[in-house]
Amino acid sequence: MNEKFAPELLESKCEIVECVMEQLEHMEENLRRARKGDLKVSIHRMEMERIRYVLSSYLRCRLTKIEKFFPHVLEKEKTRREGESSSLSPEEFAFAKEYMANTETYLKNVALKHMPPNLQKVDLLRSVPKPDLDSYVFLRVKERQENILVEPETDEQRDYVIDLEEGSQHLIRYKTIAPLVASGAVQLI
């Protein structure tokens, strides 16, 4: 849910994805050994399809964000500090690099080679939109949070601090609560 509703690409959960894939393979193996025509088998198959759908939806959402913000995602990955968790899995990183190379090649072959020499360069970081961290998101608080600094929307307003009570729901600017989403203290809805 967080990945779906966050405006930026969140930290990769490749361990969870791999664990779910292994569990699905294990369940599939168990179902092959079960009796044919058993009602439990059809119910388990439906549950496996539901899990596959949720997993593929999560991965599709991540790929869509990578395609939409690829130069910014790769730049963030380049500037990542040692020990800081990656927002891309190794496979997603390879995909993003290949997508960027293919986009640059396509632009050069289709459009840029027909332009005057002084216009044949394109800066993808400036050309591709950044994730809008100022967008508003709905959230549900999972753990009580105190003294959250809310930045003003206009210069006439002042900064103010709020407390988020467990179980409460809010509409708030994403960049204000981005660290709380990363830590799991809030759930986007």
Side-chain angles (χ1 to χ4, degrees):
M1 294 289 285
N2 284 349
E3 189 68 58
K4 181 177 181 181
F5 295 119
E8 68 176 339
L9 188 68
L10 299 179
E11 178 186 340
S12 173
K13 305 286 186 200
C14 55
E15 310 87 29
I16 296 173
V17 170
E18 289 171 8
C19 179
V20 169
M21 293 296 290
E22 288 173 10
Q23 289 295 320
L24 283 171
E25 289 171 13
H26 181 70
M27 288 173 69
E28 188 70 43
E29 193 62 38
N30 287 342
L31 288 178
R32 282 191 202 112
R33 288 183 268 153
R35 282 185 289 136
K36 301 291 182 213
D38 191 359
L39 181 61
K40 292 178 190 174
V41 172
S42 62
I43 291 172
H44 281 293
R45 286 208 191 281
M46 283 190 336
E47 180 64 12
M48 286 174 49
E49 290 304 315
R50 186 190 70 78
I51 293 169
R52 278 192 186 101
Y53 175 80
V54 169
L55 184 61
S56 63
S57 176
Y58 168 74
L59 294 173
R60 261 193 316 273
C61 181
R62 289 187 60 80
L63 285 177
T64 301
K65 286 182 182 180
I66 292 170
E67 288 174 354
K68 189 173 182 181
F69 306 121
F70 65 95
H72 305 289
V73 169
L74 289 171
E75 186 65 24
K76 183 178 176 184
E77 193 66 22
K78 261 195 266 181
T79 59
R80 182 173 56 93
R81 289 188 292 276
E82 193 67 35
E84 188 178 333
S85 58
S86 173
S87 60
L88 295 173
S89 69
E91 296 84 4
E92 290 170 338
F93 183 68
F95 172 78
K97 283 183 9 184
E98 186 177 342
Y99 190 82
M100 185 163 186
N102 290 342
T103 301
E104 288 174 336
T105 302
Y106 180 76
L107 282 173
K108 287 176 185 167
N109 291 338
V110 172
L112 294 178
K113 72 178 183 181
H114 302 292
M115 301 277 211
N118 62 336
L119 297 175
Q120 288 189 359
K121 283 223 182 266
V122 65
D123 182 9
L124 289 174
L125 270 175
R126 290 180 38 201
S127 303
V128 175
K130 289 182 179 180
D132 184 11
L133 302 182
D134 284 327
S135 64
Y136 284 82
V137 294
F138 286 99
L139 63 101
R140 179 178 298 116
V141 181
K142 294 167 65 176
E143 300 170 7
R144 178 178 164 72
Q145 300 295 313
E146 296 180 352
N147 300 327
I148 304 300
L149 179 67
V150 178
E151 297 175 12
E153 289 183 40
T154 62
D155 291 336
E156 296 87 43
Q157 296 174 323
R158 298 185 353 239
D159 289 352
Y160 60 96
V161 176
I162 61 171
D163 293 337
L164 302 176
E165 297 296 328
E166 183 177 344
S168 62
Q169 296 181 6
H170 303 273
L171 174 64
I172 196 164
R173 195 177 309 168
Y174 177 77
K175 73 178 180 181
T176 302
I177 53 94
L180 299 177
V181 172
S183 71
V186 300
Q187 170 76 45
L188 298 181
I189 53 176

